[in-house]
Amino acid sequence: MNARGEEKCRRVGLSKRKRNKNLSEKATCSGHGEDSPYFAGWEEYRRNPYDPLHNPSGIIQMGLAENRLSSGVVEEWLSNHPEALMISNRDLLKDLALYQDYHGMPAFRTALANFMGALGRNKVKFEAERIVNTAGTTAANEVLMFCLADPGDVFLVPSPYYPGFDRDLRWRTGVEIVPIHCYSSNNFQITKSAVKSAYKDSQNRNKNVRGILITNPCNPLGTTSSAKTLKMLLDFTQKKKIHLVCDEIYSGSVFSSPQFHSIAEIVTRESSTPDNVHIVYGLSKDLGLPGFRVGAIYSYNNTVVTAARRMSSFCMISSQTQYLLSCMLSDSDFVECYIAENKKRLEERHKLLVSGFAKAGIKHLNGNAGLFCWVNMSHLLTSNDLEGELKLWKSILYETKLNISPGSSFNCMEPGWFRVCFAESNITTMEVALQRLQRFAEKYKAMY
């Protein structure tokens, strides 16, 4: 953990674990990243969860990027296709119960490749043979780091970035994250100058930069990267002979313009296929199935595909899950219906959320994707620094009983930004949350 992280934990009241000499350094280190307000808010919610009948004064969860808005569409398909769940055929049961090739079931990889193509409006055809299945995108990102970098090597990641990357990319691999700092002055867009600065700073510290990793659509910003930005990143990484990893787990959660561009679109326009590009995808967000633990690596590098498949034996998806989802995603009518309905519901909920922000006098970044909104509460800070941000976060969590995540958890350099998730709770709970937020903003402005 860096000095900024340790200071952040100290002020929140978290402590660094003491080293137990009878255990490994990995078991006792604090590199997992759990010592953060991001995870601390989850723990407080678990201790005191809101329930409209049994605990109406409890904490409302707005710090979890989980999509429950379209779960009914999935449930309806399952009720109409019980054969996907009820494995009564003995031959099928035998096939699924025995050891599977760790490459994954061909039918599932084909269905997933087609689904990924459908999310991008079929502008790109994904090859099933380039897909490596993993138990969630956490595993996918880690496997890629093991394939692309050695301990001590650096990956550049635009900030603000998903707090889980401190765990996924670096905890067990030993890879270091160096932020590409982005700012509100240009809506946190990635610029070439910022990329070059992060790269040069790493070299000046004698660090070996192995690649750049971005999320597109971005978590926590809720925005999509333009084709121009993606081309800039591809050109930069090719020139420097480093890798480009695009985590596209929210590619099916784009609900308004501008449209989503996969890095695969940019690759197809190249005169030759670059072997430094890798895509991470999963079904946790777009399909609302985080408990199924379905992730995937799609790489244009044959050696990486081979190595990742070997490593995937440590993080395989169960054969029953693969079978169920291959049935579901092979249903083209379902896929078309789900994509359209999910987009509609996300857009409606997002509009409700930003309407509530407006009533509370809170500004937000104009987003078009994801399960969250990036909001600016800097006008409510008692001091324009980390101390002021954490004080505001504690007031929202413990007094207003809303779990939202402070920007410092996402390595944001500007105090006062917060990520607010909107797809986890029902509309009634969302309305209660917005009422609380409005009352809090009015009270806080009056006090300070």
Side-chain angles (χ1 to χ4, degrees):
M1 180 182 295
N2 58 32
R4 176 179 167 85
E6 290 183 354
E7 173 67 7
K8 187 192 313 178
C9 294
R10 182 188 67 78
R11 297 186 183 186
V12 180
L14 304 172
S15 60
K16 188 176 180 181
R17 295 182 182 87
K18 293 182 179 180
R19 175 71 192 275
N20 185 331
K21 294 183 179 180
N22 291 326
L23 299 175
S24 72
E25 183 177 348
K26 189 69 66 180
T28 55
C29 77
S30 58
H32 183 275
E34 279 189 343
D35 295 334
S36 159
Y38 176 74
F39 292 105
W42 289 9
E43 288 302 315
E44 292 302 317
Y45 166 76
R46 292 188 185 104
R47 294 189 186 101
N48 184 25
Y50 169 82
D51 184 276
L53 296 178
H54 305 294
N55 191 21
S57 62
I59 296 173
I60 295 177
Q61 175 66 289
M62 303 185 83
L64 181 62
E66 189 171 76
N67 184 4
R68 298 189 184 185
L69 300 184
S70 302
S71 57
V73 182
V74 174
E75 291 167 4
E76 182 179 1
W77 186 91
L78 291 172
S79 66
N80 292 331
H81 298 82
E83 70 281 359
L85 284 171
M86 299 168 59
I87 307 172
S88 55
N89 182 297
R90 290 187 177 182
D91 290 335
L92 177 60
L93 176 61
K94 184 187 298 184
D95 288 342
L96 296 179
L98 299 179
Y99 281 116
Q100 301 290 317
D101 188 329
Y102 56 70
H103 290 188
M105 296 174 64
F108 175 60
R109 284 189 286 117
T110 298
L112 184 59
N114 292 337
F115 184 66
M116 290 170 64
L119 295 178
R121 305 173 305 286
N122 292 312
K123 289 188 174 183
V124 177
K125 181 175 176 58
F126 292 92
E127 302 173 32
E129 288 303 309
R130 292 201 171 277
I131 286 183
V132 179
N133 295 135
T134 61
T137 55
T138 292
N141 278 311
E142 184 183 62
V143 166
L144 265 181
M145 290 301 105
F146 275 123
C147 290
L148 304 179
D150 293 313
D153 288 344
V154 162
F155 255 79
L156 308 179
V157 182
S159 71
Y161 62 75
Y162 166 55
F165 282 157
D166 288 325
R167 168 199 63 204
D168 303 358
L169 307 184
R170 57 188 280 277
W171 182 40
R172 298 197 297 182
T173 65
V175 171
E176 296 183 23
I177 295 176
V178 171
I180 300 172
H181 291 300
C182 304
Y183 298 93
S184 62
S185 56
N186 71 336
N187 296 323
F188 296 98
Q189 294 180 47
I190 307 168
T191 64
K192 187 174 182 178
S193 60
V195 174
K196 291 171 68 175
S197 177
Y199 183 86
K200 185 177 180 180
D201 288 348
S202 298
Q203 285 196 316
N204 290 341
R205 294 190 295 115
N206 295 318
K207 293 296 183 179
N208 184 24
V209 179
R210 298 303 291 268
I212 296 174
L213 183 145
I214 69 167
T215 57
N216 178 35
C218 179
N219 176 9
L221 302 181
T223 56
T224 49
S225 297
S226 68
K228 181 179 179 180
T229 296
L230 294 173
K231 183 65 167 67
M232 178 272 290
L233 291 170
L234 178 59
D235 290 344
F236 183 88
T237 54
Q238 287 185 295
K239 180 180 179 181
K240 300 298 184 182
K241 293 181 169 45
I242 59 177
H243 295 278
L244 176 58
V245 178
C246 295
D247 187 331
E248 299 183 352
I249 192 172
Y250 292 101
S251 58
S253 299
V254 180
F255 48 80
S256 63
S257 61
Q259 65 184 17
F260 167 73
H261 295 282
S262 170
I263 188 62
E265 289 182 42
I266 313 303
V267 168
T268 57
R269 301 172 190 171
E270 298 294 294
S271 56
S272 60
T273 302
D275 65 357
N276 71 318
V277 176
H278 322 275
I279 298 171
V280 170
Y281 184 65
L283 300 179
S284 297
K285 309 301 183 180
D286 294 340
L287 214 56
L289 300 174
F292 279 33
R293 308 309 303 142
V294 177
I297 296 167
Y298 188 90
S299 177
Y300 290 95
N301 186 304
N302 294 334
T303 303
V304 170
V305 170
T306 299
R309 280 180 177 164
R310 291 168 179 165
M311 293 184 187
S312 70
S313 62
F314 296 99
C315 52
M316 294 173 63
I317 307 169
S318 76
S319 55
Q320 184 177 7
T321 298
Q322 292 186 59
Y323 173 74
L324 187 159
L325 292 173
S326 65
C327 294
M328 180 184 294
L329 298 183
S330 296
D331 186 336
S332 57
D333 290 338
F334 164 77
V335 169
E336 182 179 358
C337 172
Y338 183 88
I339 292 174
E341 187 63 25
N342 188 52
K343 174 182 176 180
K344 175 185 174 183
R345 297 184 185 189
L346 287 172
E347 185 173 23
E348 290 174 349
R349 182 58 65 85
H350 182 263
K351 286 181 178 178
L352 174 65
L353 184 71
V354 298
S355 174
F357 290 153
K359 292 178 182 177
I362 295 173
K363 296 181 180 180
H364 66 281
L365 186 70
N366 289 327
N368 67 313
L371 313 176
F372 30 73
C373 192
W374 189 238
V375 303
N376 185 358
M377 297 189 188
S378 59
H379 63 294
L380 299 178
L381 296 178
T382 55
S383 60
N384 191 36
D385 52 19
L386 177 62
E387 190 79 44
E389 179 178 280
L390 293 180
K391 180 181 179 182
L392 180 61
W393 168 69
K394 286 183 178 181
S395 296
I396 296 172
L397 179 64
Y398 294 108
E399 298 172 19
T400 310
K401 303 294 180 65
L402 296 177
N403 177 35
I404 65 175
S405 306
S408 53
S409 295
F410 298 84
N411 211 55
C412 181
M413 298 299 291
E414 301 178 31
W417 288 87
F418 289 77
R419 191 191 74 169
V420 182
C421 298
F422 60 80
E424 193 270 344
S425 58
N426 60 44
I427 192 168
T428 303
T429 301
M430 175 64 71
E431 289 172 343
V432 173
L434 290 175
Q435 290 169 6
R436 290 184 182 182
L437 188 62
Q438 289 162 20
R439 289 195 298 267
F440 169 79
E442 292 171 0
K443 176 183 176 182
Y444 221 73
K445 283 189 292 186
M447 290 173 59
Y448 299 100

